[in-house]
Amino acid sequence: MNQTPDLFAPTPALREPIDDGAWLLRGFALDQADHLLEAIQQVAAQAAFRHQVTPGGHTMSAAMSSCGLLGWVTDRYGYRYGSRDPLTDQPWPEMPPILRQLAVEAAEASDYAHFEPDACLINRYETGAKMGLHQDKDEEDMDAPIVSVSLGAPIRFLFGGLARTDKAEGWKLEHGDVVVWGGPSRLFFHGVAPLGKRAEHPATGAMRYNLTFRKVRA
Ligand code: SIN
Ligand code: FE2
């Protein structure tokens, strides 16, 4: 009875292992992509994309916004999650249900059940923008995974190990791809190479958007 392979096995069949506890779900968000991009524009109408400054005084090349209970903020004083947009002093826009739903489903397809994201960071990359290798470690809840959704122009995603100097492997992320990491790889260094000069997608032109869903509060 159990010998017959399930030809209609759902999403897990589509996932590619990246590392321990880390998966690439190619095209997982493709069906929803147009709606996700609309939802991003709605968030950005309330909480505009901005280039934040790191504590070291470096202006980040990726423009950012956030939605959900908490948003990720960096300034001269440090990195943190806060419940208000410092630009407007208003609460961050609600996380659109379509975004939340996709994140929960991607987590589930990666064997992370009951994911309840309370923050979604939205990155917008223009030509040349990048994200250096870093760990997502400002969250209190390290049991929950990170769910990362790519929309628009393709980019090279780098996924390393627990030490900054661990060799990072490169993965091309395209429109609709989702990466999920957690468990043993929850704190692995990762980033993206500069968005290429010719990188584009009909839905976004030369831009790439990335959504990262996190559970911050334990
Ligand atoms: C991030 O780690 O915050 C962004 C990664 C990405 O843009 O794919
Ligand atoms: Fe990150």
Side-chain angles (χ1 to χ4, degrees):
M1 185 67 195
N2 287 324
Q3 301 304 313
T4 321
D6 182 0
L7 294 177
F8 303 99
T11 345
L14 299 170
R15 65 190 195 178
E16 263 172 71
I18 283 194
D19 214 318
D20 293 339
W23 302 95
L24 168 51
L25 311 173
R26 287 195 207 268
F28 192 86
L30 212 44
D31 293 354
Q32 304 282 332
D34 289 347
H35 301 297
L36 300 175
L37 286 166
E38 273 168 37
I40 290 171
Q41 297 313 330
Q42 279 161 21
V43 169
Q46 296 173 67
F49 281 102
R50 81 287 310 258
H51 292 274
Q52 303 194 97
V53 177
T54 64
H58 164 78
T59 300
M60 299 186 79
S61 59
M64 296 181 175
S65 182
S66 282
C67 60
L69 279 177
L70 296 163
W72 187 79
V73 173
T74 174
D75 57 22
R76 287 294 203 156
Y77 305 99
Y79 308 118
R80 64 194 171 275
Y81 283 97
S83 56
R84 287 175 177 270
D85 178 347
L87 286 186
T88 60
D89 202 35
Q90 294 298 304
W92 293 103
E94 253 180 65
M95 192 183 298
I98 180 175
L99 298 194
R100 171 185 302 275
Q101 188 60 30
L102 179 82
V104 170
E105 284 170 12
E108 228 160 65
S110 307
D111 303 327
Y112 296 104
H114 314 297
F115 182 46
E116 289 179 49
D118 52 13
C120 172
L121 174 66
I122 309 174
N123 294 149
R124 188 186 68 194
Y125 300 83
E126 293 175 35
T127 307
K130 64 178 168 50
M131 180 82 63
L133 285 178
H134 65 278
Q135 295 171 293
D136 291 356
K137 61 174 183 189
D138 300 324
E139 301 75 27
E140 292 164 12
D141 189 334
M142 288 296 158
D143 294 332
I146 301 287
V147 172
S148 168
V149 178
S150 293
L151 296 166
I155 209 165
R156 195 171 163 78
F157 177 65
L158 305 164
F159 201 75
L162 259 189
R164 184 182 293 278
T165 49
D166 287 346
K167 192 179 171 345
E169 204 177 336
W171 302 85
K172 185 180 182 186
L173 296 186
E174 304 198 68
H175 185 63
D177 288 351
V178 178
V179 181
V180 179
W181 64 96
S185 54
R186 174 63 181 74
L187 284 170
F188 280 16
F189 277 86
H190 60 278
V192 292
L195 188 67
K197 281 204 180 74
R198 282 176 299 276
E200 52 181 40
H201 186 276
T204 61
M207 301 235 244
R208 171 182 183 258
Y209 294 89
N210 171 258
L211 305 165
T212 42
F213 297 86
R214 301 105 187 269
K215 181 157 194 312
V216 178
R217 300 284 182 243

